Amino acid sequence: MRGDEEGRRWEGLADEAAALRAVGLWRELRRVEGRDGGSLELEGRTVAGFASNDYLGLAEAPEVVAALKEGIDIWGAGAGASRLVCGTFAPHEELEAVLARAKGVEGALVFGSGFAVPMGVIPALVGPGDTVILDKLSHACLVDAAKLSGATLRVFPHNHLEKLERLLATAKGRVLVVTESVFSMDGDRAVLREMVELKERYGAWLLVDEAHAFGVVGPGGRGLVAELGLEGRVELQMGTLSKAVGLSGGYVAGRREVMEWLINRARSFIYSTAVPPFLAHAARVAVELMLGEEGERRRVRLRENVALFQRLMGLEEAVFSSAIVPVIVGGERAAVAMSERLRAAGYWIPAIRYPTVARGAARLRVTLTALHEAVEIEGLAAGFGQAMAELGGGEFAEEAAG
Ligand SMILES: *Cc1c(COP(=O)(O)O)cnc(C)c1O
């Protein structure tokens, strides 16, 4: 009987899981057995990956791999404690100095992941009685962190300045505006200059998440805030070390006194073991690589690859905004079917579905990297054409249209 009882305790979940499967929203992990320059060995076959956020290919760069080994030789493995206990090592401070310089501000603070950054930062700055105003397309970690803070949550439609202004005009307490600079699922950019002007007019603070811009956009890949020369006017810039930097971790950057406040109040910083010092060492090397000539060479390749894919997909007019080019399919099941066709043809792009994006806005989020070869991009575009033709009959077209 114990077994049955056990089973019944999970029954509700099994029903919910079945419901998710039925509408094409069930998610599964796929195991990668090996990788080489953007190619993946996935479930017994080699596929060209077009889903990674390793936009510059630094995750496999010899300089970064060598820096990891060197870091381990010098510092060993884990940090052993949180930063405040006895876990602040020289490589942490060196990395933060390089990040602060890259972001054009006084200081930076490194966290265990990009996700952990707003979870610590937002509740450290605002609370009940205050207001957080978010762009509708902001990443889950920004939304979760805003909720955690206890501040009143207000959302404006993507890049909708009039609505943002109305929310600013009626906001209570301390006001924090939050946006991504390059949007993770759409690849477009925030109207940042206008947002900065608005938040200044209303005396609000601004947090810009540069997760998909860092390494890709702006001089030296320093991000959109740097491209627009807004470094002194954005209170907080954040980003990750896990995307174009090719490693793992997150950071926030801003005024020194704010960084000192966060050391005292950001719980995901205080109560979490420090990033391993070898990782901080390698991240500093990777960020310097990203900022320098090698990074620029890779950004040129990346931009060429994005332009080629856009041209082949009939998006000639599109300007370069990021490494992300979403192909919107619409229906969730149609997107999964499209992804499967492309996988069979040798290209791996998982379907991005609700709740990551809105219902009925499922997509294949294609990301280009500096490592892609023109033939792979041509093959992918042809694969899209073929998959659309094969699936283009009744069901797919209807679902896509609906
Ligand atoms: C990926 C991502 C994060 C989280 O970064 P991790 O280092 O992967 O935890 C935060 N914000 C945005 C916009 C992201 O895309």
Side-chain angles (χ1 to χ4, degrees):
M1 285 332 281
R2 281 279 312 145
D4 281 1
E5 255 171 58
E6 252 328 279
R8 264 199 300 284
R9 287 175 55 206
W10 296 103
E11 236 166 49
L13 283 188
D15 292 346
E16 284 180 44
L20 285 178
R21 281 179 206 278
V23 293
L25 289 176
W26 189 246
R27 302 170 181 223
E28 279 169 2
L29 299 173
R30 306 248 189 185
R31 171 164 148 161
V32 176
E33 294 285 352
R35 69 170 173 185
D36 179 17
S39 286
L40 303 174
E41 211 183 297
L42 187 78
E43 295 176 351
R45 65 182 307 162
T46 303
V47 292
F50 279 93
S52 171
N53 301 318
D54 176 25
Y55 301 124
L56 300 179
L58 293 186
E60 290 177 89
E63 298 91 330
V64 176
V65 174
L68 278 167
K69 290 175 180 163
E70 184 184 65
I72 290 172
D73 286 343
I74 300 171
W75 297 101
S82 84
R83 289 282 296 278
L84 280 161
V85 174
C86 62
T88 293
F89 291 81
H92 294 121
E93 297 202 339
E94 286 159 10
L95 169 61
E96 287 168 351
V98 169
L99 287 168
R101 231 178 301 133
K103 298 268 90 189
V105 292
E106 291 172 353
L109 208 56
V110 168
F111 289 63
S113 74
F115 200 104
V117 172
M119 298 307 279
V121 170
I122 295 180
L125 298 175
V126 293
D130 298 327
T131 309
V132 179
I133 306 178
L134 289 130
D135 185 290
K136 176 94 169 72
L137 296 189
S138 295
H139 190 268
C141 66
L142 302 169
V143 177
D144 289 0
K147 286 181 183 163
L148 180 67
S149 75
T152 302
L153 208 64
R154 294 274 183 259
V155 175
F156 57 99
H158 181 43
N159 271 340
H160 196 310
L161 293 169
E162 292 81 47
K163 180 70 185 197
L164 169 60
E165 177 154 25
R166 282 204 293 278
L167 294 175
L168 280 166
T170 55
K172 303 275 189 302
R174 278 189 199 152
V175 183
L176 176 66
V177 178
V178 176
T179 187
E180 295 180 34
S181 60
V182 163
F183 285 85
S184 55
M185 295 300 136
D186 292 71
D188 63 336
R189 298 179 179 194
V191 284
L192 205 53
R193 194 188 302 282
E194 293 79 358
M195 285 179 73
V196 166
E197 278 159 14
L198 268 183
K199 69 91 188 164
E200 283 176 351
R201 199 171 317 147
Y202 289 89
W205 291 334
L206 177 61
L207 166 65
V208 178
D209 186 344
E210 298 250 49
H212 298 275
F214 197 51
V216 174
V217 173
R222 291 165 48 225
L224 185 59
V225 172
E227 177 163 315
L228 299 175
L230 297 169
E231 292 98 324
R233 296 169 68 188
V234 171
E235 283 72 19
L236 293 153
Q237 302 180 55
M238 63 159 281
T240 90
L241 304 169
S242 1
K243 287 163 184 161
V245 179
L247 286 157
S248 176
Y251 67 85
V252 63
R255 290 173 65 89
R256 189 177 311 282
E257 60 196 317
V258 180
M259 298 303 113
E260 286 165 3
W261 175 255
L262 294 175
I263 289 170
N264 284 272
R265 280 291 183 274
R267 293 167 66 87
S268 60
F269 177 87
I270 299 169
Y271 299 106
S272 188
T273 300
V275 163
F278 73 83
L279 192 64
H281 174 82
R284 198 255 305 148
V285 170
V287 172
E288 283 175 341
L289 198 69
M290 178 201 99
L291 294 168
E293 268 172 37
E294 176 61 21
E296 201 50 42
R297 201 181 59 73
R298 288 172 183 251
R299 271 185 293 282
V300 169
R301 287 275 298 144
L302 170 61
R303 277 196 293 270
E304 286 169 0
N305 284 343
V306 170
L308 174 60
F309 183 65
Q310 286 175 329
R311 183 153 41 78
L312 293 170
M313 295 298 284
L315 304 164
E316 286 87 352
E317 258 96 280
V319 291
F320 177 81
S321 62
S322 72
I324 304 160
V325 183
V327 177
I328 311 289
V329 177
E332 281 74 27
R333 276 173 300 148
V336 173
M338 176 85 94
S339 171
E340 280 306 314
R341 291 295 160 108
L342 287 167
R343 188 166 71 94
Y347 303 94
W348 177 232
I349 312 136
I352 306 284
R353 291 160 283 164
Y354 177 83
T356 306
V357 296
R359 272 187 208 282
R363 66 199 60 188
L364 271 61
R365 170 185 178 269
V366 175
T367 57
L368 286 303
T369 78
L371 299 184
H372 285 127
E373 300 290 342
V375 289
E376 292 175 309
I377 297 166
E378 285 156 9
L380 174 65
F384 263 112
Q386 205 165 349
M388 283 175 187
E390 283 171 19
L391 296 165
E395 191 206 337
F396 170 67
E398 268 166 43
E399 206 182 345

